Amino acid sequence: MINLIALQFFCGYTVSMTFTIFLMLVTVAAALVLFSIETLPVDVTALGVLFFMVICGLLPASKAFAGFGSDAVIVIIGLLIMTAALTRTGVVEAIGRRIIHQTNNQHKRMYLVVMVAAAVVSSFISNTAATALFVPIVIGLAKSTKTSSSKLLMPLAFASILSSSVTLVASSTNIVVSGLMIQSGLEPIGMFELTLVGIPILLVGLLYMAIIGRRLIPDRVTVEEEFSETSTLSYMTEVVIPEGSHFAGKTLQEARMGRELDLTVVRVIRERHRYLAPQADLMLQEGDRLLVEGPRDEILKIQDLGGIDLQARISDPTVESGDVGLVEAILLLRSPLVGRTLRGAQFRERYGLQVLAINRHGETIRRKISQVILQLGDVLLIQGNRANIAALEADQTFRLLGAVEQQRKPNHQRAPYAIAAFAGALFLATFNLVTLPVAVLAGVLIVFLSRSITPEESYREVEWKAVILIGAMLGVGAALDYTGTASYLAHGIVQVMGGLDPRWLLTAFFVLTMLLTQQIGRAHV
């Protein structure tokens, strides 16, 4: 019915080419070229096009910036803020751990779990944001299962894209189209109006990727090259099972530390001097110390896991958090620490720093960190006051390899608020209790008031490039309408295809949109 009305509307006009229309078409063509070659960032190009249209009289200034205040832009920003709150409170990380639990090292199940999880999450948040959230999870999963990450990243991308038609909020495109429908006097798209079409598309796509598509993905690098020791240093550190830990009374196999954090237990120390082999059926006890080996980032996440603690505290309460630094440092030839242990050299007392972990290329350390005899070339993960770190390098004891960016710990206590805010916004919009922009605004207020995330943190997480692009391109759409270019193009398409079934007209617009998306859509990545 909508197609027939559109045909009648467009066929009622005879539009001739004018200089204004010609200039508008040239402007759009130039924009597409700039988007394709990416000489300038896409957001800069979009703003430049908007500015050009204003100074050339193709669009009044009063209409040029209306897109930035549109419902679509407000909804997109709000969804990105609530998504950032879910990440900040550890909800996304918990989902990643659940995925790892479900894979159980079975490659076929791994593909399915990754795709299904990404598709489900992408159905309720922006598919671009969902992909960004799952990328580190998938890379960690590939590393733990010794699988090339390219074999998992492509299924992840396809699953996220395929789910964009399941719900209204699954893609910013849906939100923009719904906003344009409201401006045209039509009813907005319902939260699940697309679901009956979107789910079959999603299921067919996932089935294809699971059976055929994954077999066509090449190994861009070998697993050995991708996860070689030169790409990620493997550190040795010491953790303790504290009193009341949920790991106490579990076997090493049941503790699943290797699955949770990609850590390998190389020795268990009990009652100070008993060194036990890390057998799968070994029962852990309170006070046990475990020598574990793993990547730096996974070691820094140990305390976030709960139930185990680093033997060296992750931060010194006597030092302001802003003054605490974390660096990787290599032991130099003339260092007085060569041939001595950290305890014997009184490292902490002497330098006011603490060693969290040690890397020794090609060798697995099986003794307590404090009792390891340091060697030339050892790399230490060191934390402490920044001034003391600088003094350490000046003393020519170590050469600093670089600072390590420390991520803030997830605020798990605020996770229920973040989940409630997101679910509540979807509920309000689904049952039309309020409009989608109002529902999203309510969710943003909840995450701010509950301190699930601070405004400053959330603003850093918003993909402003995409927001600027969408706001500017809405201005381009307004210019197409204002100059009569939209009517001119629509009339031309109807003239060419007017004698065909309306579905062919819809197909023509579909193909045109698909071609334009190849140039402009990359800005969302």
Side-chain angles (χ1 to χ4, degrees), residues 9 17 61 73 90 107 133 136 160 163 166 190 271 307 346 364 382 387 443 491:
F9 176 79
M17 171 76 76
V73 171
H107 283 202
L133 294 174
S160 299
S163 63
V166 175
E271 298 173 358
Q346 296 183 322
T364 298
I382 301 175
H491 179 76

Side-chain angles (χ1 to χ4, degrees), residues 46-47 49-55 58-70 468-479 482:
L47 290 175
V49 171
L50 190 63
F51 174 74
F52 178 80
M53 292 188 304
V54 172
I55 63 173
L58 298 176
L59 185 65
S62 59
K63 294 185 177 182
F65 311 111
F68 292 99
S70 65
I468 291 174
L469 177 68
I470 291 171
M473 296 312 292
L474 286 174
V476 174
Y482 179 79

Side-chain angles (χ1 to χ4, degrees), residues 143-188:
K143 188 184 301 182
S144 64
T145 57
K146 297 299 184 287
T147 303
S148 175
S149 59
S150 63
K151 290 287 189 179
L152 292 176
L153 290 174
M154 285 302 294
L156 167 65
F158 276 101
S160 299
I161 293 171
L162 289 168
S163 63
S164 61
S165 298
V166 175
T167 67
L168 171 62
V169 298
S171 171
S172 58
T173 305
N174 301 341
I175 298 171
V176 172
V177 171
S178 181
L180 293 175
M181 292 175 65
I182 295 175
Q183 293 179 15
S184 301
L186 302 174
E187 290 292 325

Side-chain angles (χ1 to χ4, degrees), residues 36 60 69 95-96 164 187 203 227 236 251 272 278 291 298 318 330 342 383 393 397 422 451 505 516:
S36 300
I95 294 174
S164 61
E187 290 292 325
L203 293 178
F227 302 118
M236 183 69 60
T251 64
R272 293 183 177 272
L291 297 180
E298 299 302 314
T318 63
I330 186 170
L342 291 172
Q383 185 186 55
E393 185 174 35
T397 302
F422 197 91
R451 298 182 181 179
L505 179 63
L516 293 176

Side-chain angles (χ1 to χ4, degrees), residues 338-351:
V338 174
R340 304 182 66 183
T341 65
L342 291 172
R343 176 180 296 178
Q346 296 183 322
F347 182 87
R348 184 168 184 175
E349 293 78 7
R350 181 176 181 180
Y351 297 101

